[in-house]
């Protein structure tokens, strides 16, 4: 039997594998690819305590483990692996491809890559007071963790003006739609995430990436800076393919926008996978 190319799909902030990944995975499988979806440790069906702890460095370890796993499978073509990420994980593929030259391609959908630009957007909208309020929660969670107490959490997403990590206009309804069929998504995150290590910078990583990369960006994005991908695309030069849509962050996951993006991804994989 011949081995097939494989896409490894990483979810966004707080997302679990039963939120939105299946609708993409099924389409890639129909096109003849293998697909691996997984939950980061501390989330969904994966193990690890405390639950709902977001840490970029451990999520990158989990992605490396996923790559090692698919490469160990005889039915997978180990040199034809694509890293697919969306939103908060949009930069993960670049980070890994920079250190692993065997990665065949990267797909980054509505990605948060330029952390400075993304933070600026966040600060300008929410203001310093909001940030300081979250910091108080973060210190409380950190303090509790030192004494082995249960974590102190706040919501991943809330309506504008509430205390939540994400409260951009439309974010609460966007998450509600994407997670409505999930049995594992919990709208909470350990508040100490402010003190967790960020890990490598995807912008720096993009300077070392040697594989084709597809960026799908939303021009009216209000969760990541709409041009968050641009410096990375510039660093990649001819390796970068960019598709922009005149829509908001959550619109790309549904309806005609999903179909457009999906077709774009399928023509990209068809072009670049041996």
């Amino acid at each position: 039997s011949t081995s097939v190319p494989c896409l490894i799909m990483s979810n966004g902030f707080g997302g679990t594998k039963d939120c939105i990944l299946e609708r993409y995975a099924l389409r890639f499988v129909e096109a003849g690819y293998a697909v691996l979806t997984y939950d980061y440790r501390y989330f969904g069906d994966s193990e690890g305590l405390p639950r709902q702890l977001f840490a970029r460095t451990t999520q990158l370890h989990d992605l490396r483990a996923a790559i090692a796993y698919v490469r160990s499978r005889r039915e997978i073509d180990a040199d034809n692996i694509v890293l697919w990420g969306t939103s908060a994980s949009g930069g993960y593929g670049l980070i890994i491809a920079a250190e692993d030259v065997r990665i065949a391609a990267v797909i980054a959908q509505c990605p948060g890559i330029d952390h400075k630009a993304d933070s600026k957007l966040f600060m300008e909208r929410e203001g310093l007071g909001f940030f300081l309020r979250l910091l108080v929660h973060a210190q409380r969670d950190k303090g509790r963790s030192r004494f082995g107490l249960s974590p102190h959490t706040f919501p991943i997403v809330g309506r504008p003006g509430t205390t939540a990590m994400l409260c951009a206009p439309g974010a609460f309804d966007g998450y509600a739609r994407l997670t409505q069929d999930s049995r594992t998504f919990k709208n909470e995150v350990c508040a100490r995430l402010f003190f967790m290590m960020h890990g490598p910078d995807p912008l720096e990583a993009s300077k070392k990436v040697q594989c084709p990369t597809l960026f799908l960006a939303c021009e009216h994005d209000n969760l990541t800076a709409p041009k968050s991908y641009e410096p990375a695309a510039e660093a990649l030069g001819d390796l970068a393919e960019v598709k922009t849509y005149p829509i908001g962050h959550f619109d790309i996951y549904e309806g005609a926008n999903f179909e457009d993006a999906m077709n774009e991804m399928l023509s990209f994989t068809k072009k670049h996978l041996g």
Side-chain angles (χ1 to χ4, degrees):
S1 67
T2 54
S3 56
V4 294
C6 180
L7 288 98
I8 298 175
M9 307 192 75
S10 303
N11 218 322
F13 183 63
T16 49
K17 68 178 187 291
D18 65 357
C19 290
I20 50 144
L21 297 181
E22 190 177 341
R23 65 182 75 159
Y24 294 94
L26 289 171
R27 297 290 285 273
F28 284 121
V29 169
E30 275 168 26
Y33 306 117
V35 178
L36 177 74
T37 64
Y38 67 102
D39 281 329
Y40 304 116
R41 72 186 79 181
Y42 313 124
F43 288 90
D45 288 325
S46 281
E47 295 171 351
L49 293 171
R51 304 307 293 163
Q52 303 299 117
L53 175 64
F54 178 83
R56 217 177 255 123
T57 48
T58 58
Q59 293 194 347
L60 287 164
H61 285 315
D62 297 340
L63 177 50
R64 290 184 192 103
I67 295 166
Y69 169 72
V70 297
R71 281 190 179 143
S72 75
R73 307 280 308 198
R74 274 205 307 268
E75 60 269 56
I76 302 299
D77 179 349
D79 289 311
N80 257 329
I81 290 170
V82 181
L83 303 183
W84 185 101
T86 191
S87 195
S89 69
Y92 289 4
L94 293 172
I95 291 168
I96 303 297
E99 66 188 42
D100 184 344
V101 293
R102 289 177 76 194
I103 296 300
V106 171
I107 297 175
Q109 178 176 267
C110 53
I113 293 173
D114 183 346
H115 295 323
K116 278 197 184 114
D118 295 343
S119 301
K120 187 167 176 264
L121 176 82
F122 185 86
M123 285 298 275
E124 281 173 0
R125 183 179 56 239
E126 311 301 351
L128 186 61
F130 172 84
F131 186 72
L132 293 174
R133 272 207 311 282
L134 293 189
L135 217 49
V136 170
H137 286 281
Q139 282 165 332
R140 186 172 161 197
D141 185 34
K142 193 76 181 155
R144 290 181 66 81
S145 75
R146 284 200 189 99
F147 295 106
L149 300 170
S150 60
H152 172 63
T153 64
F154 50 59
I156 287 170
V157 63
R159 299 196 182 280
T162 60
T163 299
M165 188 63 208
L166 306 172
C167 43
F172 185 84
D173 295 330
Y175 261 81
R177 288 196 306 275
L178 298 186
T179 61
Q180 62 188 359
D181 299 325
S182 168
R183 59 175 177 78
T184 59
F185 175 78
K186 286 194 179 75
N187 187 20
E188 58 180 56
V189 64
C190 292
R192 76 192 77 160
L193 67 93
F194 279 107
F195 301 133
M196 305 303 284
M197 298 291 287
H198 272 335
D201 176 9
L203 272 192
E204 281 305 305
S206 61
K207 297 170 187 169
K208 300 192 192 90
V209 172
Q210 295 170 38
C211 66
T213 301
L214 174 65
F215 296 99
L216 301 142
C218 304
E219 290 167 9
H220 305 307
D221 205 319
N222 66 352
L223 242 58
T224 61
K227 295 186 188 310
S228 188
Y229 70 91
E230 276 189 353
E234 228 161 87
L236 281 155
D238 293 341
L239 291 170
E241 295 178 35
V242 176
K243 185 79 178 145
T244 59
Y245 300 90
I247 56 174
H249 188 86
F250 293 96
D251 301 325
I252 199 163
Y253 295 101
E254 300 174 291
N257 298 315
F258 165 79
E259 292 299 332
D260 283 354
M262 197 68 239
N263 290 333
E264 198 67 39
M265 294 183 223
L266 287 168
S267 65
F268 174 79
T269 49
K270 193 173 174 183
K271 185 162 77 177
H272 294 295
L273 294 180

